[in-house]
């Protein structure tokens, strides 16, 4: 019951905000988009005496060539650590840099803006001490909710389609292709939340 009441209050709050603010939400040609998405997780499994920590940060900036389409730069850093009692920790880290294109194709009211995004980039990192490098492509969907004319909350449904090709130092290339077409059954498996600012 408490959750239903809180959800109703949130909906009324959004409706009130929409009624009170008749400003223009969204993007225009010449705008600059700055965005940052952050992912953190920590798990301590006492059954297996295993601790897991994960961190990911993905900043990006784009320039709107039209009212609907932006082209920009995309960076990413991440780390993963898993430690089981009595054994050495399994560590990995990654750095990514690339370009992306984003197209806004649907407005859900004044404040919700839906987009499709695709990007290509280079990545390098370490996995249990072994260095690797590669190239990747990904495509996904997302939504911005504009809190004000310049500030939005981002919900990115990442890697609906993804292709990666990487090679460990001294080894052969490995290629992977993923098509998460059933991702809509569980949004939070691949979703990223972040903040978006428009200049």
């Amino acid at each position: 019951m408490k959750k239903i009441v809180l959800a109703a209050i949130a909906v009324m709050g959004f409706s009130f905000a929409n009624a009170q603010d008749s400003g223009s939400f969204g993007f225009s040609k010449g705008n600059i988009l700055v965005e940052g998405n952050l992912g953190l997780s920590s798990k301590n499994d006492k059954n297996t005496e295993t601790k897991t920590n994960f961190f990911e940060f993905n900043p990006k900036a784009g320039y709107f060539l039209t009212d609907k389409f932006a082209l920009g730069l995309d960076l990413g850093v991440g780390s993963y650590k898993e430690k089981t009692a009595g054994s050495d920790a399994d560590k990995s880290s990654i750095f990514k840099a690339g370009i992306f294109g984003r197209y806004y194709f649907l407005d859900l009211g004044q404040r919700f803006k839906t987009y499709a995004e695709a990007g290509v980039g280079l990545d390098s990192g370490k996995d249990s001490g072994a260095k690797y490098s590669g190239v990747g492509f990904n495509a996904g969907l997302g939504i911005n909710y504009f809190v004000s004319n310049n500030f939005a909350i981002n919900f990115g449904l990442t890697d609906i389609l993804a292709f990666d090709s990487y090679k460990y130092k001294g080894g052969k290339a490995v290629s992977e292709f993923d098509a998460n077409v059933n991702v809509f059954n569980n949004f939070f498996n691949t979703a990223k939340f972040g903040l978006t600012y428009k200049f």
Side-chain angles (χ1 to χ4, degrees):
M1 184 66 182
K2 184 177 180 181
K3 291 182 179 179
I4 295 173
V5 173
L6 291 174
I9 292 172
V11 170
M12 287 188 293
F14 286 141
S15 300
F16 180 78
N18 285 333
Q20 294 298 313
D21 195 338
S22 60
S24 175
F25 302 105
F27 301 96
S28 300
K29 181 179 179 180
N31 283 158
I32 295 174
L33 164 82
V34 176
E35 191 170 275
N37 297 297
L38 180 66
L40 293 169
S41 69
S42 180
K43 180 180 178 181
N44 185 4
D45 187 341
K46 293 185 179 180
N47 293 304
T48 60
E49 296 186 57
T50 302
K51 294 181 179 180
T52 306
N53 292 292
F54 169 78
F55 165 80
E56 182 181 27
F57 179 56
N58 177 219
K60 58 179 64 176
Y63 178 80
F64 278 82
L65 302 176
T66 70
D67 291 350
K68 300 287 187 180
F69 179 74
L71 187 65
L73 300 175
D74 188 5
L75 299 175
V77 293
S79 65
Y80 175 85
K81 180 180 179 181
E82 182 178 288
K83 178 72 169 80
T84 301
S87 64
D88 294 334
D90 182 16
K91 299 179 181 179
S92 63
S93 61
I94 189 169
F95 173 78
K96 297 181 179 182
I99 59 173
F100 73 93
R102 179 182 290 187
Y103 180 72
Y104 285 84
F105 63 91
L106 179 64
D107 291 348
L108 304 174
Q110 289 186 330
R111 294 175 182 258
F112 286 96
K113 311 296 178 181
T114 306
Y115 64 84
E117 183 175 298
V120 62
L122 302 174
D123 58 80
S124 63
K126 287 184 179 181
D127 188 359
S128 298
K131 294 182 179 180
Y132 67 90
S133 60
V135 61
F137 165 83
N138 68 296
L141 300 173
I143 297 175
N144 288 147
Y145 172 74
F146 277 84
V147 179
S148 68
N149 290 343
N150 295 89
F151 178 71
I153 298 170
N154 182 57
F155 175 83
L157 192 61
T158 60
D159 296 343
I160 292 177
L161 292 175
F163 172 80
D164 289 290
S165 179
Y166 57 92
K167 181 179 179 182
Y168 284 90
K169 189 174 181 180
K172 295 183 178 180
V174 178
S175 297
E176 294 181 4
F177 175 75
D178 293 305
N180 297 314
V181 293
N182 67 337
V183 74
F184 298 103
N185 292 330
N186 192 347
F187 280 106
F188 297 99
N189 275 348
T190 57
K192 288 184 180 179
F193 292 93
L195 301 177
T196 304
Y197 192 81
K198 176 185 74 175
F199 290 94

